[in-house]
Structure formats: structure tokens, C-alpha cells
């Protein structure tokens, strides 16, 4: 029975790795620009960070994106330095669920400590995204990272813009966040 339970846990942990397929070439600026747009895990995570920032940080809406981008670059640096992040693919797909839930339940009137903890979580998950992409980068890796950062910033801005348009509609905020979290669970299921 213990072996069966262990097998089930390991199979569940392996499924998210399938969510991050590499999405094609990983060399050069164009590959970096397209990668976040073609991978549902990245597309949803980046949009969710923008949505969360737009809903929760009306005066500092840029903070989530800046922390994500800086931590993603730091994660890439860890990868290039040969420092691994265990289960990085699991953390990436969990980030979609976590960012969706943050978007669904957060409020601009929440305690500052909760907002700071959320920003810390954004940074930790972003480092995992950066690590995974740097690990798969080949050839023109710095250009790939630059394209990836630019595309990520554009997805954050799209989320922020959408959040600002519907900021007075809490049901829309909850629906968007819940939809992203459920999509993350679907990705986990493989």
C-alpha cells in the first residue's frame, strides 16, 4: 500500500513537468518574445500577476511586475551559475494556481503585511520561472532572456490594464482569479 501511495504522489509531482514543454526554440530574441505567449502556464501566471497588481496596488501597480521581472532575472542567474531549484516545474505550475487565488481573494484594503507577503511569493515563484527558462536556453541565451523579460512585462501590463478597467467590479476580479486558478489545476492534471 505504501508503494502505491508513493507512486501516486510521484506521478502527480511529475505531471506538471509536462506543462512546460519548452514551446520550441530557446535561442535568441524572437524565441524569448514568443515563449511566454505560447505556454499556457506562463501566459496565465504573467497575466495574473498583472491583474493582482492592478486590483490590489492601485498606486503602486508596477510593484508586482518589477519584483517578478527582477526575481525572474535572478532565477536565470542561479541557473547559469549551476545552482538548481528542486521541482522547479512543479513550482511553475503551482504559481498559476497561487497567482489566480491571490487575484480572486485579495483586496486593496487588505493589511500591508499581507500585501508584502504576497509580493514575496510573487518573487519566489518568478525565480522559478526564470530558472526554468535559463536552463532550457541555448545559443543566444542573453537575447532569449531579454525577449522573455520584455514579453513578460507586456503580459503584466495587459493584466494591469484589464484590472484597472474593471476595478470597481469585485465579481469580475473573483471570476478572473478563479478562472486562472482552475486553469492552473487543469495544467497540474496534465
Amino acid at each position: 500500500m505504501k508503494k502505491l501511495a508513493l507512486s501516486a504522489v510521484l506521478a502527480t509531482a511529475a505531471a506538471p513537468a509536462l506543462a512546460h514543454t519548452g514551446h520550441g526554440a530557446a535561442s535568441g530574441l524572437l524565441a524569448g518574445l514568443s515563449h511566454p505567449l505560447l505556454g499556457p502556464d506562463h501566459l496565465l501566471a504573467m497575466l495574473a500577476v498583472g491583474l493582482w497588481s492592478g486590483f490590489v496596488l492601485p498606486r503602486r501597480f508596477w510593484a508586482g511586475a518589477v519584483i517578478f521581472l527582477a526575481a525572474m532575472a535572478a532565477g536565470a542567474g542561479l541557473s547559469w551559475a549551476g545552482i538548481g531549484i528542486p521541482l522547479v516545474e512543479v513550482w511553475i505550475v503551482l504559481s498559476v494556481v497561487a497567482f489566480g487565488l491571490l487575484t480572486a481573494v485579495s483586496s486593496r484594503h487588505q493589511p500591508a503585511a499581507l500585501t508584502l507577503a504576497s509580493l514575496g511569493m510573487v518573487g519566489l515563484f518568478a525565480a522559478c520561472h526564470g530558472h526554468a527558462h535559463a536552463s532550457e536556453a541555448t545559443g543566444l541565451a542573453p537575447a532569449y532572456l531579454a525577449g522573455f523579460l520584455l514579453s513578460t512585462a507586456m503580459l503584466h501590463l495587459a493584466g494591469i490594464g484589464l484590472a484597472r478597467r474593471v476595478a470597481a467590479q469585485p465579481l469580475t476580479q473573483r471570476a478572473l482569479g478563479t478562472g486562472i486558478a482552475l486553469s492552473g489545476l487543469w495544467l497540474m492534471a496534465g
Side-chain angles (χ1 to χ4, degrees), residues 75-85 131 135:
L78 288 174
S79 173
W80 289 335
I83 300 169
I85 295 178
H131 188 281
S135 296

Side-chain angles (χ1 to χ4, degrees), residues 52 56-57 67 110-123:
W52 177 80
V56 178
L57 306 167
I67 287 172
Q110 67 189 18
L114 183 57
T115 300
L116 289 174
S118 299
L119 286 167
M121 185 176 66
V122 165

Side-chain angles (χ1 to χ4, degrees), residues 141-177:
Y144 177 75
L145 180 63
F148 197 88
L149 288 167
L150 181 59
S151 190
T152 295
M154 294 300 114
L155 287 169
H156 288 322
L157 288 173
I160 290 167
L162 178 59
R164 293 176 72 102
R165 287 193 191 274
V166 299
Q169 301 170 25
L171 288 177
T172 302
Q173 175 183 346
R174 287 188 195 101
L176 288 167

Side-chain angles (χ1 to χ4, degrees), residues 53-72:
S53 296
F55 286 129
V56 178
L57 306 167
R59 282 173 261 159
R60 293 189 178 106
F61 60 86
W62 47 266
V66 167
I67 287 172
F68 193 100
L69 293 167
M72 192 167 69

